[in-house]
């Protein structure tokens, strides 16, 4: 097994920066992926290979991964960014998801 | 556009079996690794299984190994999940998802279906 721990929740004001952490043993030695999931919808990939944004994902989404922690940063957070965010990494051939962070824009 | 459409979910009693299907369109199905990921209502994501394009490599989460079987039919562009000996803890939305061929640890799982709900009652 491989545990990826995220803070359960995060509140951010519109226009401010949201920083979501994902902690796992030697996570920096693996690629980290990030998914956004809005209520009633399927997950959407927002970051892959630690730092890359798929086409269509706004530039305000950025990320890093080093040591035991991967970080997703949402700069200039908008109301539409309110969602659950999950990190994901591979360990011994199996995909593991983080515990998830609910971002509330208030 | 990529489309993944799951079907086959429903209410089943503990110990029984169920088979999920996922119909793919809009991309080269045979060039993609396919996955099942589940999510209990109101809870987080849990990866279930993956199958490579030739069905040579089948990998399962510990929680389902020995009970679930993943398979695919490239001619029909369809992914399957045979679920046996179902338990109440298998209750979840089941999503199929795709990943480009290559190094599974590098390529993203980048397209997801809308999910199908499996409810296992005691």
């Amino acid at each position: 097994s491989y545990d990826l721990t995220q803070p359960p929740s995060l509140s951010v004001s519109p226009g401010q920066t949201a920083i979501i952490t994902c902690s796992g043993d030697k996570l920096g030695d693996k690629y980290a992926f990030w998914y956004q999931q809005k209520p009633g919808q399927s997950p959407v990939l927002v970051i892959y290979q630690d730092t890359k944004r798929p086409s269509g994902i706004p530039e305000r989404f950025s990320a890093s991964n080093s040591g035991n922690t991967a970080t997703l940063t949402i700069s200039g957070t908008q109301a539409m960014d309110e969602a659950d965010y999950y990190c994901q990494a591979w360990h011994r051939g199996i995909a593991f998801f983080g515990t998830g962070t609910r971002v509330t824009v208030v | 556009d990529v489309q993944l459409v799951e079907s086959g979910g429903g209410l089943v009693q503990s110990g029984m079996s169920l088979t999920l299907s996922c119909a793919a369109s809009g991309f080269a199905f045979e060039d993609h690794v396919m996955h099942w990921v589940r999510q209990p209502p109101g809870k987080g994501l849990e990866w279930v299984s993956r199958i490579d394009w030739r069905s040579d490599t089948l990998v399962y989460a510990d929680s389902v190994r020995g009970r679930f079987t993943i398979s695919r039919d490239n001619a029909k562009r369809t992914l399957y999940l045979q679920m046996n000996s179902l338990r109440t803890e298998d209750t979840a939305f089941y999503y199929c998802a795709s990943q480009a061929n290559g190094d599974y640890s590098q390529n993203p799982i980048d397209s997801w279906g809308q999910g199908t709900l499996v409810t296992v009652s005691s």
Side-chain angles (χ1 to χ4, degrees):
Chain A
S1 189
Y2 184 72
D3 294 328
L4 291 171
T5 302
Q6 300 178 232
S9 62
L10 175 66
S11 291
V12 60
S13 300
Q16 297 304 301
T17 298
I19 299 175
I20 305 166
T21 58
C22 172
S23 298
D25 185 48
K26 298 179 182 177
L27 180 56
D29 291 345
K30 311 173 189 295
Y31 276 127
F33 303 83
W34 289 92
Y35 298 87
Q36 175 195 69
Q37 187 180 32
K38 296 182 179 180
Q41 297 184 19
S42 305
V44 172
L45 178 74
V46 293
I47 293 289
Y48 67 101
Q49 291 182 5
D50 291 341
T51 61
K52 299 177 181 178
R53 277 180 294 105
S55 61
I57 299 302
E59 290 184 8
R60 63 180 180 273
F61 288 88
S62 63
S64 63
N65 184 19
S66 179
N68 293 323
T69 305
T71 301
L72 175 68
T73 301
I74 312 172
S75 304
T77 306
Q78 299 184 10
M80 68 173 66
D81 301 329
E82 188 164 283
D84 294 330
Y85 291 84
Y86 296 91
C87 59
Q88 180 253 310
W90 289 92
H91 179 69
R92 296 180 180 175
I94 293 177
F96 290 91
F97 288 93
T99 49
T101 298
R102 175 153 296 176
V103 172
T104 304
V105 183
V106 292
Chain B
D1 283 0
V2 173
Q3 269 208 311
L4 296 168
V5 181
E6 301 93 338
S7 60
L11 175 63
V12 63
Q13 283 195 319
S14 178
M16 302 299 284
S17 300
L18 200 62
T19 299
L20 305 182
S21 300
C22 172
S25 61
F27 68 105
F29 180 74
E30 65 278 6
D31 285 343
H32 284 69
V33 177
M34 297 300 296
H35 301 258
W36 287 100
V37 177
R38 68 183 181 182
Q39 184 174 37
K43 298 190 177 180
L45 299 170
E46 180 190 14
W47 179 85
V48 173
S49 181
R50 64 179 165 99
I51 182 169
D52 75 337
W53 68 283
R54 292 187 299 184
S55 302
D56 285 343
T57 300
L58 316 179
V59 185
Y60 300 92
D62 290 347
S63 57
V64 306
R65 189 176 299 117
R67 299 187 299 123
F68 289 12
T69 302
I70 191 171
S71 63
R72 64 190 294 165
D73 185 330
N74 287 343
K76 294 182 177 179
R77 303 175 59 84
T78 302
L79 174 72
Y80 302 98
L81 186 67
Q82 170 75 40
M83 304 183 294
N84 298 330
S85 303
L86 282 161
R87 305 167 180 168
T88 55
E89 55 264 36
D90 295 319
T91 294
F93 289 95
Y94 283 75
Y95 297 99
C96 75
S98 65
Q99 178 188 37
N101 271 340
D103 187 334
Y104 67 85
S105 67
Q106 295 190 27
N107 294 336
I109 301 173
D110 56 4
S111 296
W112 297 64
Q114 86 290 346
T116 187
L117 178 61
V118 173
T119 304
V120 184
S121 67
S122 55

